[in-house]
Amino acid sequence: MHAGDAHQAVRACHKDEQARRFVVLLMVSSLAWKMLRARLSPIDWTRGPRRLACGGLFLCCLLLAGMARGEPNLKVTLDRNNISLGDSASLSMSFENCSPPSQPQLPAIANIEVTGTGSQQSFSLVGAQVTRSTVYTYDLRPVKEGNYTIPAMRIAVSGATLVSHALSLTVRGGGAQAPSGMPEVAFVRLVPSTNVIYLGQVVSVEIQCYCRDNVGNIQMPQVNGDSFIIGNTPGTGGQQPPKVRVRVGNADYWLFSFHVSITPTKTGRLTLGPATWSMAVYTGQRTIFGWTDSHPATFTSDTPTIDVRPVPSAGEPPTFSGAVGDFTLAQYEAAPTAVGVGDPVTLKIRIAGRGAFDTVMLSTNNEPGWREFKIYPPTSKFDSTDPLQIEGSKYFEQVVTPENAEVKEIPPFMFSFFDPSQNVFRTLSHPAIPLQVHPTAATPQPTILSTGATPPDAQPQGEGIVHIKPMLGTVEAVRPPLIERPAFWVWQAIAPALWMGALLRRKQKEKLANNPRLRRQRQVTRLVQEGLGDLARQAAANDAEKFYATVLRLLQEQLGERLDLPAPAITEAVLEDVKGLRPETQSGLRDLFHACNQYRYTPEHTTQEMNSLIPKVKTALQDLQAMPAVKSRGTLLQGVGLVLLLLSAMAARADSVTDSFGQGNKLYEEGKYPQAAAAYEKLAQSGVVSSALYFNLGNSWLKSAHLGRAIYAYRKAEDIAPRDPDIRANLQIARNQAGANAALRGSLWTRWAGRLSLDEWTKAASGGVTLFFLVLAAREMVPTLRQSGGGWLIALGVLSLWMAAGLALSANQHLLEKTSVVVTPEAVVRVGPLDEAQSAFTVHDGAELLVLGRDRDWLQVSDAFKRIGWVAQKEVREIER
């Protein structure tokens, strides 16, 4: 008997058994109901509560009679079909409505260690059917990488044979080693779907994040890759991502699996990663209130190597425009097929498959068959079927008009792409579509109805744009605007500080001029300092006469300044009038006057005697002085030197990136616009700031069917060079294609402030304010300037205020008013920050929005019509100034 026949026999037997059980239960329920009625009197039966209770009991009996188990079933599943060497996979064997006498044994599988981990039972009730399940779990640990097959199993249960399906398991090598010794709290692995890809190919990468139980506040992992364009990690709606329990080494971990898409921007053996994963690690003791301590931690993954190969040039078909992937032609239609000369015919084309849909474009048809048609810009829309935007369909609609009645058909369709899985070029084709064209008296131009989403790939046939710039120009590193840099404010404070110093200096001079006693105090202090130096030289020269004359003069000057008396009038007798001196100081002064008087009678004094007298003179003068210590003059010079050092440190320039820029230009000239855009994007992500770079990036996106990304790049270029006519021209072209109401309308003042960039307004205002304060400082230092030039000072002040007002407006636009650009074919703006919220309105590719607020992965925006709603952050690109 075949397995199918056996299975049908088991089902038939089980149905018979189920019917018998139902009949028995129904008979038991009826007998119970009759016995209950016999025990109740007629009066009791007619009473409401008892009648209700009896009816409920009968219904319960009927429900129990209806409860019957379903047919037995066996399900065998794996928690993961792809693992890295060192990991383990969990196999679950679920028996429904039956149970084997003991835990089944899995068949032996080469290079896989199998360990049983336990079993559990559960019951479920669906309608009137009860399902009992017994689940056995097994731990599969491969010891070698490769592809494995878990064979189908035949298990006998209750006289019947249950058969499972075969399962496949892929084990990849090259992952991080399992933790040894003390288990790690967490670790991360990067597992690309393949290690050999082609330039322009988009592939998925799995980010495997392992952690123990003592972690929380888990963040989304971030992947770095200098040579790759990293896609966005699909979110989980603010909830914790799904996780599974796995065993690595001798420790149990929770595994969070994330996926991102990557696209290489150059060829060679490139390093991907690392990926970083941040969370809070709980330490200490665990109580009923939680862990007693925690600290933030970041874990870094390995960096796998990927071999990126160039798309081969051999065998490249003429219709190849850079598409890389696996595609099919799902639709190619034309309607109407009976028209007059000049009447529009709409072509509908859908290309489906898997790959880099950014590179899927309709090529310009230069074949002879299309020369009899006038071709209008196509519209395009991408509809993805997976979160990574790798699989899906791209829809095109293109209007063509026959120009004479000799046209008999729509030419055949040709689309070529490179298939990386087979390493060959493939061409999708569709035969010509018959077309009937009759002559007309006039040739009307078709009216193309726009839904607001003028297709980006209209540019090659539409209005001409200014060509790319061949030179990169001035290159800078990504830095905040001048107004946010501390060094700028330090430099800006120099002129006001100089004016304040000049003002204080003038005030001090005026104070000295109006205070003779203060002036005399400073003169005496200077005289005392010089006299003390003379004493040492005179003692060394054994010049006793000059020595004692200097001592007497210093004492007279210092006491005269203190007592406000002429210095020649000071004698030893005035010491009686000095108040507040210590007895020791007063005694020392008397001794010094006595020594000076004694010299007149005994002029012979040795050098040793004079040197012993100098410390006493210093002590006495210090006790008389009350002036504070003179401040160091080097403070200002040191401050200026520090400012110059900061400015010189911030003047470092980025390394030369001319080669990368030239490579992007080369791709652009070859018509490989998506690859050129990827090269320019990579250069911009490396921190290079240049108006030429963003200008060429905008051209590439405009040629590659991405209006929103083009407008974003042009606006970045405009921020750097706001008066570049080429940038303004191409930006206006892109905005025209996006629609008349796609751009935000600014006021007269905001348009005036937009004539200069934020840094230019900062420099202009800084120059005006600095010049104003320098003139004020000059007027303080040169008295004659204060007598004239007041009108010029007022004019300079007004100009400074005008420049400051422009700076305030520009700073408000750049730092406070955030804007964004829609970069998807169509974005739904909802009334709230939820996917389930009602739709408020719809915006299309290239629409510019004002950002009003933020809530997780949603932005509150306002469009040109002042409508307000919430849009998903992944559908727009914010203008970061």
Side-chain angles (χ1 to χ4, degrees), residues 628-642:
V630 179
K631 294 183 179 180
S632 173
R633 298 180 180 177
T635 304
L636 179 59
L637 294 178
Q638 293 174 1
V640 173
L642 178 60

Side-chain angles (χ1 to χ4, degrees), residues 14-140:
H14 184 74
K15 287 182 178 180
D16 294 341
E17 181 183 358
Q18 180 177 346
R20 288 194 300 270
R21 289 179 179 177
F22 181 80
V23 172
V24 172
L25 287 174
L26 184 60
M27 293 176 61
V28 172
S29 301
S30 300
L31 181 61
W33 170 247
K34 292 180 179 180
M35 294 176 62
L36 183 61
R37 290 196 61 182
R39 295 179 62 87
L40 296 175
S41 63
I43 298 176
D44 293 334
W45 173 241
T46 58
R47 299 176 66 177
R50 292 183 178 273
R51 191 172 184 178
L52 183 62
C54 293
L57 179 61
F58 181 71
L59 291 177
C60 290
C61 293
L62 290 179
L63 182 63
L64 290 174
M67 288 185 179
R69 295 185 303 171
E71 62 182 77
N73 190 23
L74 172 62
K75 294 181 180 178
V76 180
T77 58
L78 283 172
D79 63 338
R80 292 179 294 159
N81 296 101
N82 294 274
I83 63 175
S84 298
L85 187 63
D87 285 351
S88 63
S90 178
L91 183 142
S92 298
M93 186 181 298
S94 176
F95 293 88
E96 296 182 355
N97 302 316
C98 60
S99 180
S102 61
Q103 181 169 352
Q105 297 294 324
L106 295 184
I109 306 173
N111 298 319
I112 293 184
E113 299 177 358
V114 180
T115 306
T117 59
S119 64
Q120 61 179 2
Q121 294 185 352
S122 62
F123 293 86
S124 63
L125 176 62
V126 179
Q129 181 172 332
V130 177
T131 301
R132 180 173 62 89
S133 300
T134 302
V135 181
Y136 297 92
T137 56
Y138 303 83
D139 187 69
L140 308 183

Side-chain angles (χ1 to χ4, degrees), residues 520-540:
R520 182 184 179 187
Q521 180 183 2
R522 295 193 174 184
Q523 292 174 351
V524 170
T525 300
R526 186 168 57 254
L527 181 63
V528 167
Q529 291 176 348
E530 295 174 355
L532 291 175
D534 293 339
L535 289 178
R537 291 191 295 270
Q538 292 165 1

Side-chain angles (χ1 to χ4, degrees), residues 415-432:
F415 172 75
S416 299
F417 63 93
F418 179 75
D419 187 352
S421 61
Q422 302 296 326
N423 193 20
V424 294
F425 287 96
R426 299 187 184 276
T427 299
L428 305 177
S429 61
H430 190 280

Side-chain angles (χ1 to χ4, degrees), residues 447-465:
T447 301
I448 303 174
L449 298 178
S450 174
T451 61
T454 303
D457 40 351
Q459 181 53 45
Q461 297 86 11
E463 186 177 359
I465 63 174

